[in-house]
Amino acid sequence: MNWLTNFVRPKLRALVSRKEAPENLWMKCPKCEQMLFLRDWEANQEVCSHCGHHMRIRPMKRLPRLFDEGKYELHPLPRVTADPLKFRDTKRYDARLKEAHAKAEGPKDGTTDALIVASGPMDGRMAILALLDFGFMGGSMGTAVGEGLVMAAELAVARKAPLIVFSASGGARMQEGILSLMQLTRTTIAVRMVKEAGLPYIVVLTDPTTGGVSASFAMLGDIHIAEPDAIIGFAGPRVIQDTIRQELPPGFQRSEYLLEHGMVDAVVHRHQLRETLIRLIHLLMDPIRSEGRGLAVAVR
Ligand SMILES: [Zn+2]
């Protein structure tokens, strides 16, 4: 014990904590670097009020804004073997999972993974939503996500409801090796089930949608909507640039670039997502009532 620990350290701590308090109320937009009041930013669905930058929002924050009067039902994912390969890299996979569960926002029954499945009315019509959670191990697709998407597809078929997927993922979950790669085919078959039942399958691509998810169910929608300025692609731009040894065009792999090149049908602001999805559901499920209203009208 000396004056450093007894006197200087508490003083320093007080200084640091005093600094932290105002920072908790404010945040900086990573794009335009303007300060945002946290409560306003949350009310604005985590979109910057200065430049319109769409930040990554977790599924549980999205859900109340999508369904009628914010009412919906959560469906726990089917139970799967948690760590089938007993995988370990710098950390054990089961330890990583435990950490992710502690920060997870879905049903608190231990089945939560990087996918949230919910059902509820959208303009009076039942819809099944499956949202990838980038906050849970980078939205990576392992067995639980695959099983969850199959369950969502089965729910859609059983209830004759459209399936809407919100994608946000870094790709397949490498800790599950081949089992995670198998989910590419399983989810593709799940989507097919919905299509064979004559039900709409709509994908909302959000930042970032890459890897195995973009190579399977995220690119199989009847209609693809993207949030503004989202990164959408298979491999990241740096990997591509290093492989082909060429400079990539500006805006490459962003929503607007993909819209221009025909990979995406519409780029829609987060605030307009609910009404756009409702218009699309009516157009696809009830074409006679929506006669004369083309897709251009529906997504405007
Ligand atoms: Zn901004």
Side-chain angles (χ1 to χ4, degrees):
M1 291 286 169
N2 55 31
W3 69 275
L4 263 175
T5 47
N6 289 340
F7 181 74
V8 177
R9 195 187 281 167
K11 284 264 176 206
L12 279 173
R13 275 211 187 119
L15 264 177
V16 172
S17 60
R18 219 177 294 156
K19 240 186 186 174
E20 268 170 8
E23 271 175 13
N24 289 339
L25 294 173
W26 294 85
M27 65 166 291
K28 206 190 238 183
C29 167
K31 187 131 199 218
C32 69
E33 301 195 334
Q34 293 270 357
M35 292 308 279
L36 296 163
F37 189 50
L38 223 55
R39 213 179 297 162
D40 293 346
W41 168 73
E42 273 171 7
N44 207 29
Q45 297 186 49
E46 304 189 14
V47 175
C48 173
S49 49
H50 301 286
C51 70
H53 177 57
H54 284 49
M55 280 164 248
R56 292 167 187 173
I57 183 169
R58 294 192 75 169
M60 296 306 286
K61 298 245 174 74
R62 273 188 198 276
L63 284 173
R65 311 270 190 164
L66 294 167
F67 291 107
D68 297 353
E69 292 149 26
K71 283 187 192 145
Y72 60 90
E73 186 192 344
L74 282 179
H75 300 272
L77 303 184
R79 276 189 195 278
V80 295
T81 312
D83 182 9
L85 306 179
K86 304 275 170 262
F87 191 86
R88 182 187 194 129
D89 44 78
T90 50
K91 221 189 226 177
R92 288 161 60 113
Y93 176 39
D94 59 359
R96 280 186 199 276
L97 272 176
K98 217 181 216 175
E99 226 171 75
H101 273 134
K103 290 185 268 170
E105 295 180 328
K108 295 282 175 214
D109 60 353
T111 62
T112 307
D113 204 277
L115 188 78
I116 303 279
V117 179
S119 64
M122 288 178 82
D123 197 27
R125 200 185 267 279
M126 173 62 66
I128 311 294
L129 264 62
L131 303 92
L132 278 163
D133 181 8
F134 194 76
F136 191 106
M137 294 191 74
S140 54
M141 175 166 65
T143 321
V145 169
E147 285 290 341
L149 202 91
V150 171
M151 181 189 77
E154 284 172 346
L155 262 175
V157 174
R159 299 192 183 181
K160 297 188 175 47
L163 177 62
I164 302 169
V165 160
F166 281 69
S167 65
S169 175
R173 191 170 296 169
M174 63 151 198
Q175 290 90 343
E176 291 186 21
I178 187 76
L179 295 168
S180 124
L181 286 182
M182 275 164 62
Q183 306 314 315
L184 273 77
T185 42
R186 297 197 68 232
T187 52
T188 303
I189 292 166
V191 167
R192 204 173 176 102
M193 267 167 34
V194 176
K195 294 191 178 190
E196 275 172 4
L199 297 163
Y201 173 55
I202 303 169
V203 182
V204 181
L205 301 149
T206 77
D207 186 60
T209 297
T210 56
V213 166
S214 76
S216 58
F217 63 94
M219 285 294 168
L220 297 172
D222 298 318
I223 292 175
H224 287 139
I225 292 172
E227 282 195 337
D229 205 31
I231 285 196
I232 302 158
F234 182 67
R238 211 174 311 137
V239 176
I240 299 176
Q241 207 152 292
D242 288 350
T243 311
I244 62 171
R245 291 174 196 285
Q246 268 184 46
E247 194 81 10
L248 293 168
F252 182 71
Q253 285 185 326
R254 296 276 174 181
S255 309
E256 294 71 14
Y257 185 92
L258 268 76
L259 176 70
E260 229 169 84
H261 290 81
M263 291 289 286
V264 160
D265 298 302
V267 176
V268 178
H269 193 286
R270 194 171 285 162
H271 294 173
Q272 269 97 51
L273 270 181
R274 176 179 142 85
E275 52 179 286
T276 305
L277 287 170
I278 285 171
R279 255 179 281 165
L280 286 172
I281 293 170
H282 282 311
L283 184 77
L284 295 169
M285 299 283 284
D286 205 357
I288 296 168
R289 213 184 88 182
S290 326
E291 207 178 355
R293 299 169 67 201
L295 175 63
V297 178
V299 296
R300 197 167 292 153

